[in-house]
CSV table of all heavy atoms in Angstrom, one decimal:
chain,number,residue,atom,x,y,z
A,180,ALA,N,77.0,53.4,92.2
A,180,ALA,CA,78.3,53.3,93.0
A,180,ALA,C,78.0,52.5,94.3
A,180,ALA,O,78.9,51.8,94.7
A,180,ALA,CB,78.7,54.8,93.3
A,181,ALA,N,76.9,52.7,94.8
A,181,ALA,CA,76.6,51.9,96.1
A,181,ALA,C,76.5,50.4,95.7
A,181,ALA,O,77.1,49.6,96.5
A,181,ALA,CB,75.2,52.3,96.6
A,182,ASP,N,76.0,50.0,94.6
A,182,ASP,CA,75.9,48.6,94.2
A,182,ASP,C,77.3,48.1,94.0
A,182,ASP,O,77.6,46.9,94.2
A,182,ASP,CB,75.1,48.4,93.0
A,182,ASP,CG,73.6,48.7,93.2
A,182,ASP,OD1,73.2,48.6,94.4
A,182,ASP,OD2,72.8,48.9,92.2
A,183,ALA,N,78.2,49.0,93.5
A,183,ALA,CA,79.6,48.6,93.2
A,183,ALA,C,80.5,48.7,94.4
A,183,ALA,O,81.7,48.5,94.4
A,183,ALA,CB,80.2,49.4,92.1
A,184,ARG,N,79.9,49.0,95.6
A,184,ARG,CA,80.6,49.2,96.9
A,184,ARG,C,81.7,50.3,96.7
A,184,ARG,O,82.8,50.1,97.3
A,184,ARG,CB,81.2,47.9,97.4
A,184,ARG,CG,80.1,46.8,97.6
A,184,ARG,CD,80.7,45.5,98.2
A,184,ARG,NE,79.7,44.5,98.4
A,184,ARG,CZ,78.9,44.5,99.5
A,184,ARG,NH1,79.0,45.4,100.4
A,184,ARG,NH2,78.0,43.5,99.6
A,185,ARG,N,81.4,51.3,96.0
A,185,ARG,CA,82.4,52.4,95.8
A,185,ARG,C,81.9,53.6,96.7
A,185,ARG,O,80.8,54.1,96.6
A,185,ARG,CB,82.4,52.9,94.4
A,185,ARG,CG,83.2,52.0,93.4
A,185,ARG,CD,84.7,52.0,93.7
A,185,ARG,NE,85.2,53.3,93.6
A,185,ARG,CZ,85.7,53.8,92.5
A,185,ARG,NH1,85.6,53.2,91.3
A,185,ARG,NH2,86.2,55.1,92.5
A,186,ASP,N,82.7,53.9,97.7
A,186,ASP,CA,82.3,55.1,98.6
A,186,ASP,C,83.4,56.1,98.7
A,186,ASP,O,83.5,56.8,99.7
A,186,ASP,CB,81.9,54.5,100.0
A,186,ASP,CG,83.0,53.8,100.7
A,186,ASP,OD1,84.1,53.7,100.1
A,186,ASP,OD2,82.8,53.4,101.8
A,187,ASP,N,84.3,56.1,97.7
A,187,ASP,CA,85.5,56.9,97.8
A,187,ASP,C,85.5,58.2,96.9
A,187,ASP,O,86.5,58.9,96.7
A,187,ASP,CB,86.7,56.1,97.4
A,187,ASP,CG,86.6,55.5,96.0
A,187,ASP,OD1,85.4,55.2,95.6
A,187,ASP,OD2,87.6,55.2,95.3
A,188,PHE,N,84.3,58.5,96.4
A,188,PHE,CA,84.2,59.7,95.6
A,188,PHE,C,84.1,61.0,96.5
A,188,PHE,O,83.4,61.0,97.5
A,188,PHE,CB,83.0,59.7,94.7
A,188,PHE,CG,83.0,58.6,93.7
A,188,PHE,CD1,82.3,57.4,93.9
A,188,PHE,CD2,83.8,58.7,92.6
A,188,PHE,CE1,82.3,56.3,93.0
A,188,PHE,CE2,83.8,57.6,91.6
A,188,PHE,CZ,83.1,56.5,91.9
A,189,THR,N,85.0,62.0,96.1
A,189,THR,CA,85.0,63.2,97.0
A,189,THR,C,84.1,64.3,96.6
A,189,THR,O,83.8,65.2,97.3
A,189,THR,CB,86.5,63.7,97.0
A,189,THR,OG1,86.9,64.0,95.6
A,189,THR,CG2,87.4,62.7,97.6
A,190,ASP,N,83.5,64.2,95.4
A,190,ASP,CA,82.4,65.1,95.0
A,190,ASP,C,81.6,64.4,94.0
A,190,ASP,O,81.8,63.3,93.5
A,190,ASP,CB,83.0,66.5,94.5
A,190,ASP,CG,83.4,66.5,93.0
A,190,ASP,OD1,83.5,65.4,92.4
A,190,ASP,OD2,83.7,67.5,92.5
A,191,ASP,N,80.4,65.0,93.7
A,191,ASP,CA,79.4,64.3,92.9
A,191,ASP,C,79.7,64.3,91.4
A,191,ASP,O,79.2,63.4,90.7
A,191,ASP,CB,78.0,64.9,93.2
A,191,ASP,CG,77.7,64.8,94.7
A,191,ASP,OD1,77.3,63.7,95.1
A,191,ASP,OD2,77.9,65.8,95.5
A,192,THR,N,80.4,65.2,90.9
A,192,THR,CA,80.7,65.2,89.5
A,192,THR,C,81.6,64.0,89.2
A,192,THR,O,81.6,63.5,88.1
A,192,THR,CB,81.4,66.5,89.0
A,192,THR,OG1,82.5,66.8,89.8
A,192,THR,CG2,80.4,67.7,89.1
A,193,GLN,N,82.4,63.5,90.2
A,193,GLN,CA,83.2,62.4,90.0
A,193,GLN,C,82.4,61.1,89.7
A,193,GLN,O,82.8,60.3,88.9
A,193,GLN,CB,84.1,62.1,91.2
A,193,GLN,CG,85.3,62.9,91.3
A,193,GLN,CD,86.1,62.5,92.5
A,193,GLN,OE1,85.8,62.6,93.7
A,193,GLN,NE2,87.3,61.9,92.2
A,194,LEU,N,81.2,61.1,90.3
A,194,LEU,CA,80.3,59.9,90.0
A,194,LEU,C,79.8,59.9,88.6
A,194,LEU,O,79.7,58.9,87.9
A,194,LEU,CB,79.1,59.9,91.0
A,194,LEU,CG,79.4,59.3,92.3
A,194,LEU,CD1,79.7,60.4,93.3
A,194,LEU,CD2,78.2,58.5,92.8
A,195,ILE,N,79.5,61.1,88.0
A,195,ILE,CA,79.1,61.2,86.6
A,195,ILE,C,80.2,60.8,85.7
A,195,ILE,O,80.0,60.1,84.7
A,195,ILE,CB,78.6,62.7,86.3
A,195,ILE,CG1,77.4,63.0,87.1
A,195,ILE,CG2,78.4,62.9,84.8
A,195,ILE,CD1,76.1,62.2,86.8
A,196,GLU,N,81.5,61.3,86.0
A,196,GLU,CA,82.6,60.9,85.2
A,196,GLU,C,82.8,59.3,85.3
A,196,GLU,O,83.0,58.7,84.3
A,196,GLU,CB,83.9,61.5,85.8
A,196,GLU,CG,83.9,63.1,85.7
A,196,GLU,CD,85.1,63.7,86.5
A,196,GLU,OE1,86.2,63.1,86.3
A,196,GLU,OE2,84.9,64.6,87.2
A,197,TRP,N,82.7,58.8,86.5
A,197,TRP,CA,82.8,57.3,86.7
A,197,TRP,C,81.8,56.6,85.9
A,197,TRP,O,82.0,55.5,85.3
A,197,TRP,CB,82.7,57.0,88.1
A,197,TRP,CG,82.7,55.5,88.5
A,197,TRP,CD1,83.7,54.6,88.5
A,197,TRP,CD2,81.5,54.8,88.9
A,197,TRP,NE1,83.3,53.4,88.8
A,197,TRP,CE2,81.9,53.5,89.1
A,197,TRP,CE3,80.2,55.2,89.1
A,197,TRP,CZ2,81.0,52.5,89.6
A,197,TRP,CZ3,79.3,54.2,89.6
A,197,TRP,CH2,79.7,52.9,89.8
A,198,ALA,N,80.6,57.2,85.8
A,198,ALA,CA,79.5,56.5,85.1
A,198,ALA,C,79.5,56.7,83.6
A,198,ALA,O,78.6,56.3,82.9
A,198,ALA,CB,78.1,57.0,85.6
A,199,GLY,N,80.6,57.4,83.1
A,199,GLY,CA,80.7,57.6,81.7
A,199,GLY,C,80.1,58.9,81.2
A,199,GLY,O,80.0,59.1,79.9
A,200,GLY,N,79.7,59.8,82.1
A,200,GLY,CA,79.1,61.0,81.6
A,200,GLY,C,80.1,62.2,81.5
A,200,GLY,O,81.3,62.0,81.7
A,201,GLU,N,79.6,63.3,81.0
A,201,GLU,CA,80.5,64.5,80.7
A,201,GLU,C,80.1,65.6,81.7
A,201,GLU,O,78.9,65.9,81.9
A,201,GLU,CB,80.3,64.9,79.3
A,201,GLU,CG,81.2,65.9,78.8
A,201,GLU,CD,81.1,66.2,77.3
A,201,GLU,OE1,80.2,67.0,76.9
A,201,GLU,OE2,81.9,65.6,76.5
A,202,VAL,N,81.1,66.3,82.2
A,202,VAL,CA,80.9,67.4,83.1
A,202,VAL,C,81.3,68.7,82.5
A,202,VAL,O,82.5,68.7,82.0
A,202,VAL,CB,81.6,67.1,84.5
A,202,VAL,CG1,81.4,68.3,85.4
A,202,VAL,CG2,81.1,65.8,85.1
A,203,SER,N,80.5,69.7,82.5
A,203,SER,CA,80.9,71.0,82.0
A,203,SER,C,81.2,71.9,83.1
A,203,SER,O,80.6,71.9,84.2
A,203,SER,CB,79.7,71.6,81.2
A,203,SER,OG,79.4,70.8,80.0
A,204,ILE,N,82.2,72.8,82.9
A,204,ILE,CA,82.6,73.8,83.9
A,204,ILE,C,82.0,75.2,83.6
A,204,ILE,O,81.9,75.6,82.4
A,204,ILE,CB,84.1,73.9,83.9
A,204,ILE,CG1,84.8,72.7,84.6
A,204,ILE,CG2,84.6,75.2,84.6
A,204,ILE,CD1,86.3,72.7,84.6
A,205,VAL,N,81.5,75.8,84.6
A,205,VAL,CA,81.1,77.2,84.6
A,205,VAL,C,82.0,78.0,85.6
A,205,VAL,O,82.5,77.4,86.5
A,205,VAL,CB,79.6,77.4,84.8
A,205,VAL,CG1,78.8,76.8,83.8
A,205,VAL,CG2,79.2,76.9,86.2
A,206,GLU,N,82.1,79.3,85.4
A,206,GLU,CA,82.9,80.1,86.3
A,206,GLU,C,82.3,80.1,87.7
A,206,GLU,O,81.1,80.4,87.9
A,206,GLU,CB,83.0,81.5,85.8
A,206,GLU,CG,84.0,82.4,86.5
A,206,GLU,CD,85.5,81.9,86.2
A,206,GLU,OE1,85.7,81.4,85.0
A,206,GLU,OE2,86.3,82.0,87.1
A,207,GLY,N,83.2,79.7,88.7
A,207,GLY,CA,82.7,79.8,90.1
A,207,GLY,C,83.0,81.2,90.6
A,207,GLY,O,82.9,82.2,89.9
A,208,SER,N,83.4,81.3,91.9
A,208,SER,CA,83.7,82.6,92.5
A,208,SER,C,84.8,82.4,93.5
A,208,SER,O,84.8,81.4,94.3
A,208,SER,CB,82.4,83.1,93.2
A,208,SER,OG,82.8,84.2,94.1
A,209,ALA,N,85.8,83.3,93.4
A,209,ALA,CA,86.9,83.2,94.4
A,209,ALA,C,86.4,83.3,95.8
A,209,ALA,O,87.1,82.8,96.7
A,209,ALA,CB,87.9,84.3,94.0
A,210,GLY,N,85.3,84.0,96.0
A,210,GLY,CA,84.8,84.1,97.4
A,210,GLY,C,84.0,83.0,97.9
A,210,GLY,O,83.7,82.9,99.1
A,211,ASN,N,83.7,82.0,97.0
A,211,ASN,CA,82.9,80.8,97.4
A,211,ASN,C,83.8,79.8,98.1
A,211,ASN,O,84.0,78.7,97.6
A,211,ASN,CB,82.3,80.2,96.1
A,211,ASN,CG,81.3,79.1,96.4
A,211,ASN,OD1,80.9,78.9,97.6
A,211,ASN,ND2,81.1,78.3,95.4
Side-chain angles (χ1 to χ4, degrees):
D182 290 343
R184 300 184 182 277
R185 289 288 306 273
D186 62 358
D187 55 330
F188 296 102
T189 58
D190 80 353
D191 299 280
T192 56
Q193 279 187 292
L194 278 97
I195 295 296
E196 297 170 44
W197 172 75
E201 189 173 84
V202 178
S203 295
I204 284 180
V205 296
E206 191 68 34
S208 168
N211 184 22

